[in-house]
Amino acid sequence: MKNNLYLFCTSLSIFLFGGSSLISAQDQEPAPKESGVFVYQLRVGVNIGGVTPIPLPAEIRELNSFNPMLNMSIEGNVVYWLNQSPRSWGWSTGIRLENKGMKADSRVKNYSMEIIGGEGEKVAGNWTGGVSTHVANSYITIPTLVAYKMNNRWSFSGGAFWSLLIDKNFSGYVFDGYLREGDPTGVKVVFEGDKTASYDFSNDLRHFSYGIQLGANWKFSKHLNVFSDLSVGLNNVFKSDFKTISFKMRPVYLNVGAGYSF
C-alpha cells in the first residue's frame, strides 16, 4: 500500500508540474501576427476636366463655353493591405484604359497659333479673336499609389500615374478675329462672319505623360464601393520641340465612378 501511494503521488507531481510548465510555455509564445491581404477590384468611371495651362496666361482673356464630354475609364487594380485590421497602410497599382477630352471656346489676344490655309498651307502668327478647341485622347495608365484605410468604410490613396497615349486628337478652328503673320506686327489676315481657319496639333502630342493622383474610396457593402480620383499632369501634353503654343498644357481631370471588389 505504501509503495502504491508513493507511485501515485510521484505520478501526480510529474503530471501537475509538466502540465503547468506546458501551459506557461504556451502563454509565453508570441501571438501570431495578422498577415496582409490582397484585394482585387474592377472600376468604371467618368473623367471630368480638361487640358489647360496652369495658371491661365494673359493671352486667354475669356472662356465662352466648355463641354467636358463623356470620357469613360475602366480599371483593374490590386490593393495590398499590410494587415486586416480596420486601420491599415498599403499600396495599390493596376492598369486603366481611359479617355481624356473636352471642347472649349475662348477669346484670346496675341495667342500663338498655326492655322491651315485654304490651299492646305500652314500660316503661323499671333491670333486675336475666337478659338474653338477639341481634345479627344485615349491612354493606357498605370497608377502607383500608397493607400491608407481609415476604417471599414473609408480609404484614401496618393501617388503617381504613368500614361501612354494610344489615340490622339488636339484640333479646332479660329473665328471672328485676325491673325498677324509671323509676329504681333506682321501682316493682318482678318476672319469675319462665318469665315474660319482650322488647326491640328495632334501629331505634336507627347506619347508619354506622368503626374500625381489623389483619391478617396467609400465602401458601402462587402463588394461595392464608389470612388473619386483627382489627377494632374506634371509634364506638357506637347512634345518639347513644339513651340507654336508658348505655354505648357497639362491634363487636369476628376475621375468618379463605382467599383467591385472580389
Side-chain angles (χ1 to χ4, degrees):
M1 177 67 71
K2 289 182 179 180
N3 291 335
N4 291 337
L5 182 60
Y6 174 77
L7 290 174
F8 174 76
C9 292
T10 303
S11 300
L12 181 61
S13 300
I14 294 172
F15 173 78
L16 293 175
F17 178 79
S20 61
S21 299
L22 179 60
I23 293 172
S24 177
Q26 289 176 342
D27 290 340
Q28 293 174 3
E29 288 181 0
K33 294 182 179 179
E34 280 191 293
S35 59
V37 60
F38 285 95
V39 177
Y40 300 91
Q41 296 186 84
L42 180 64
R43 308 168 99 191
V44 177
V46 177
N47 276 323
I48 304 170
V51 179
T52 180
I54 303 174
L56 287 177
E59 291 92 332
I60 300 178
R61 298 304 176 92
E62 183 181 1
L63 181 64
N64 294 327
S65 66
F66 177 78
N67 181 358
M69 302 176 60
L70 182 62
N71 303 303
M72 300 299 298
S73 73
I74 182 168
E75 175 181 335
N77 67 30
V78 57
V79 183
Y80 178 74
W81 298 113
L82 296 178
N83 58 66
Q84 302 179 46
S85 62
R87 292 193 177 191
S88 176
W89 287 92
W91 55 263
S92 173
T93 189
I95 186 168
R96 181 166 69 241
L97 301 177
E98 60 182 342
N99 298 324
K100 290 182 176 180
M102 69 170 192
K103 289 182 178 180
D105 283 357
S106 58
R107 301 293 299 183
V108 302
K109 184 175 182 179
N110 289 329
Y111 186 87
S112 182
M113 176 58 64
E114 184 179 71
I115 62 175
I116 302 173
E119 302 298 326
E121 76 281 5
K122 293 183 178 181
V123 182
N126 291 77
W127 172 259
T128 297
V131 177
S132 180
T133 301
H134 178 204
V135 179
N137 296 329
S138 298
Y139 295 91
I140 297 176
T141 298
I142 297 176
T144 53
L145 309 171
V146 174
Y148 176 69
K149 182 170 57 173
M150 189 172 69
N151 51 43
N152 289 327
R153 297 284 186 182
W154 284 99
S155 61
F156 303 91
S157 61
F161 72 86
W162 320 88
S163 293
L164 178 67
L165 182 67
I166 57 175
D167 195 19
K168 56 190 178 181
N169 180 70
F170 195 111
S171 61
Y173 59 91
V174 297
F175 61 95
D176 188 23
Y178 59 89
L179 180 77
R180 292 283 189 179
E181 291 189 44
D183 56 59
T185 62
V187 176
K188 187 176 183 180
V189 182
V190 179
F191 292 80
E192 295 178 328
D194 295 332
K195 187 178 180 182
T196 64
S198 63
Y199 67 89
D200 192 342
F201 302 146
S202 302
N203 291 330
D204 299 298
L205 289 169
R206 189 188 299 270
H207 288 93
F208 176 75
S209 60
Y210 61 90
I212 57 174
Q213 177 178 315
L214 301 174
N217 190 90
W218 183 66
K219 184 177 179 181
F220 61 87
S221 73
K222 182 179 179 181
H223 296 289
L224 298 176
N225 59 80
V226 292
F227 69 90
S228 63
D229 291 325
L230 175 66
S231 63
V232 180
L234 295 181
N235 62 338
N236 192 356
V237 298
F238 292 111
K239 298 175 182 177
S240 58
D241 59 355
F242 178 70
K243 304 301 182 183
T244 301
I245 296 180
S246 57
F247 39 80
K248 292 183 178 180
M249 303 283 284
R250 294 182 173 91
V252 180
Y253 283 88
L254 180 67
N255 189 18
V256 294
Y260 183 88
S261 299
F262 295 91

